Amino acid sequence: MTEFWLISAPGEKTCQQTWDQMMVATTRNNNLSTNNKFNIPDLKVGTLDVLVGLSDDLAKLDSFIEGVVKKVSQYMADVLEDSRDKVQENLLANGVDLVTYITRFQWDMAKYPIKQSLKNISDIISKQVSQIDNDLKARASAYNNLKGNLQNLERKNAGSLLTRSLADIVKKEDFVIDSEYLITMLVVVPKTSYADWQKTYETLSEMVVPRSTNLLFEDHDSGLFSVTLFRKAIDDFRHKARENKYTVRDFQYNEQEMNADKEEMTRLSTDKKKQFGPLVRWLKVNFSEAFIAWIHIKALRVFVESVLRYGLPVNFQAMLLQPNKKNMKKLREVLNDLYKHLDSSAAAVIDSAMDIPGLNLSQQEYYPYVYYKIDCNMLDFK
């Protein structure tokens, strides 16, 4: 279960008391969740107007950063070709797995100095993650182009004899080259028609060189035969071959072109290998950066919302609950009982919603206590 509930409640006589009450209600009497204190430092409060405006900005920033975190992790899965175990072991925050990072969260004073105003801290985070988002677009675009071009070339070298590139199949000695009158053509013949081909190819049209056919290559369904004829008979031969269900491939033997294709494939393959390592390293580092930024935004949201709801002086306990999956509904009920005195209107709405099946409050998810969900499941494997 990788879902966490980040909540806060005002300090009773002390914040420790608030924590103890919540622990008794959710773990000591029953096994509803695993809990950790969530440490938020003494941030600068600022004015009420600023807090109200910041509350909206932080909500937008939260969903933007979550989107970037998921994009980076999903792209990591694409680059690692979806080997799930490899992806998970690369999705770390500050060198540890995500659950460990969140449950032991410590504010990063060096990156986000708490002497700055809340607005400045959120601007620093916003700029940082926007930069990651832009870099990801540029890097993904370059790597995807490379990968796409390589796949197109590989596709040309695979598939059936009717469509695939023939460059890696034929050799110079299979062709009559530089003759004014003669030309070697390549014909795809179904396996079931080999005997017919051998009997009839010399008479399909005039001017076919006798005994000039050779089988050069086979796949599951057909074979590639060469046949030599006079240039002036090309059109007639094509037409007669089609009538007999043989396919003449358009192919001129050109060593330079064929070598250029092979060289291009080698170059793209080498480039892809060269870019792979640095790209994975970049994704690892920037996944970590974006995820850390995201959890700091969650901390800012809890702080701002707690001050707006519970007032000054700042006195609240932030707590991180990891719900036991089977007991999520029960946990919600226990928390509502514990905190309904904080906001009777929210409690009334929740109580009535519980009585009306099918009424979904999750759009606004408003509770008498401050609540934010953190979902650490980053990957959407298709």
Side-chain angles (χ1 to χ4, degrees):
M1 182 71 181
T2 51
E3 181 179 311
F4 290 88
W5 295 359
L6 179 53
I7 71 168
S8 86
E12 296 291 334
K13 289 199 177 72
T14 63
C15 288
Q16 183 60 37
Q17 214 172 344
T18 304
W19 168 256
D20 291 339
Q21 275 185 350
M22 195 274 302
M23 286 298 283
V24 168
T26 59
T27 57
R28 294 196 191 133
N29 298 345
N30 42 39
N31 179 26
L32 298 181
S33 58
T34 307
N35 308 325
N36 289 274
K37 284 184 180 175
F38 190 84
N39 296 312
I40 300 174
D42 295 330
L43 299 166
K44 278 191 164 178
V45 177
T47 65
L48 190 62
D49 283 356
V50 169
L51 289 182
V52 172
L54 198 54
S55 178
D56 287 343
D57 294 345
L58 288 172
K60 289 177 195 143
L61 192 52
D62 185 346
S63 60
F64 166 67
I65 297 179
E66 181 177 7
V68 173
V69 169
K70 294 208 160 149
K71 263 193 280 185
V72 175
S73 56
Q74 202 54 52
Y75 194 59
M76 173 104 72
D78 294 346
V79 170
L80 292 172
E81 318 285 347
D82 274 6
S83 40
R84 188 185 283 237
D85 50 333
K86 294 241 171 56
V87 183
Q88 288 296 3
E89 70 196 33
N90 282 297
L91 296 180
L92 304 174
N94 238 354
V96 296
D97 66 85
L98 306 185
V99 170
T100 303
Y101 177 78
I102 296 178
T103 51
R104 297 183 190 163
F105 175 75
Q106 292 295 328
W107 185 275
D108 188 329
M109 302 285 182
K111 267 193 200 134
Y112 313 119
I114 58 171
K115 298 253 187 310
Q116 303 248 12
S117 70
L118 297 175
K119 179 87 182 79
N120 281 3
I121 295 172
S122 91
D123 287 347
I124 292 169
I125 294 176
S126 176
K127 275 193 193 120
Q128 179 201 3
V129 178
S130 297
Q131 185 63 53
I132 291 174
D133 192 36
N134 292 333
D135 285 357
L136 176 66
K137 282 175 192 151
R139 284 167 190 267
S141 168
Y143 189 74
N144 290 351
N145 281 341
L146 190 60
K147 196 168 151 185
N149 292 340
L150 185 59
Q151 279 169 342
N152 287 340
L153 274 182
E154 283 167 347
R155 217 170 284 129
K156 273 171 69 180
N157 288 331
S160 86
L161 282 170
L162 297 170
T163 54
R164 65 168 290 172
S165 161
L166 304 176
D168 59 335
I169 289 174
V170 298
K171 301 184 192 71
K172 191 172 183 177
E173 53 267 30
D174 297 328
F175 294 83
V176 173
I177 291 171
D178 299 334
S179 162
E180 200 178 330
Y181 302 107
L182 294 173
I183 184 168
T184 301
M185 300 190 74
L186 299 177
V187 185
V188 179
V189 178
K191 279 190 171 170
T192 49
S193 307
Y194 280 10
D196 289 343
W197 166 258
Q198 293 289 0
K199 269 188 241 156
T200 59
Y201 81 92
E202 292 175 359
T203 54
L204 279 180
S205 78
E206 294 180 342
M207 300 189 176
V208 175
V209 176
R211 293 203 290 278
S212 66
T213 195
N214 283 304
L215 175 60
L216 306 181
F217 187 84
E218 285 184 302
D219 65 13
H220 292 307
D221 310 307
S222 21
L224 184 71
F225 286 84
S226 60
V227 58
T228 303
L229 53 140
F230 279 77
R231 286 180 182 274
K232 58 167 77 168
I234 288 177
D235 290 341
D236 187 38
F237 182 81
R238 267 182 199 285
H239 178 67
K240 293 286 180 12
R242 197 178 307 121
E243 282 180 355
N244 283 273
K245 307 273 195 300
Y246 308 136
T247 307
V248 177
R249 286 288 307 260
D250 275 323
F251 184 86
Q252 298 282 317
Y253 186 86
N254 180 326
E255 205 149 10
Q256 278 167 318
E257 268 179 34
M258 284 159 62
N259 284 340
D261 265 7
K262 280 180 192 159
E263 280 161 18
E264 176 67 353
M265 191 144 171
T266 308
R267 184 186 72 74
L268 288 172
S269 186
T270 309
D271 277 2
K272 187 183 165 201
K273 280 188 192 123
K274 258 191 210 151
Q275 283 193 25
F276 176 81
L279 179 60
V280 171
R281 277 195 295 283
W282 184 91
L283 288 166
K284 269 180 82 159
V285 168
N286 286 278
F287 172 81
S288 175
E289 291 295 309
F291 188 85
I292 289 167
W294 185 41
I295 303 306
H296 278 76
I297 285 294
K298 292 284 190 198
L300 280 183
R301 289 190 78 187
V302 170
F303 183 83
V304 169
E305 197 62 26
S306 299
V307 172
L308 286 173
R309 285 224 211 165
Y310 311 141
L312 290 169
V314 174
N315 178 29
F316 67 89
Q317 178 64 54
M319 301 168 274
L320 187 74
L321 284 58
Q322 190 173 8
N324 182 332
K325 195 171 186 179
K326 294 190 194 102
N327 298 329
M328 287 171 88
K329 189 163 180 281
K330 178 73 181 143
L331 176 62
R332 192 63 83 190
E333 286 166 10
V334 165
L335 290 176
N336 286 330
D337 280 346
L338 191 58
Y339 298 124
K340 64 184 172 195
H341 65 281
L342 297 175
D343 186 340
S344 52
S345 61
V349 171
I350 287 156
D351 288 341
S352 64
M354 284 176 176
D355 296 337
I356 307 169
L359 177 63
N360 184 4
L361 279 176
S362 65
Q363 278 83 10
Q364 67 273 19
E365 295 211 280
Y366 186 81
Y367 301 101
Y369 48 93
V370 171
Y371 160 80
Y372 297 108
K373 184 168 107 172
I374 303 175
D375 183 2
C376 287
N377 184 26
M378 293 297 147
L379 294 172
D380 219 0
F381 281 102
K382 305 286 181 283

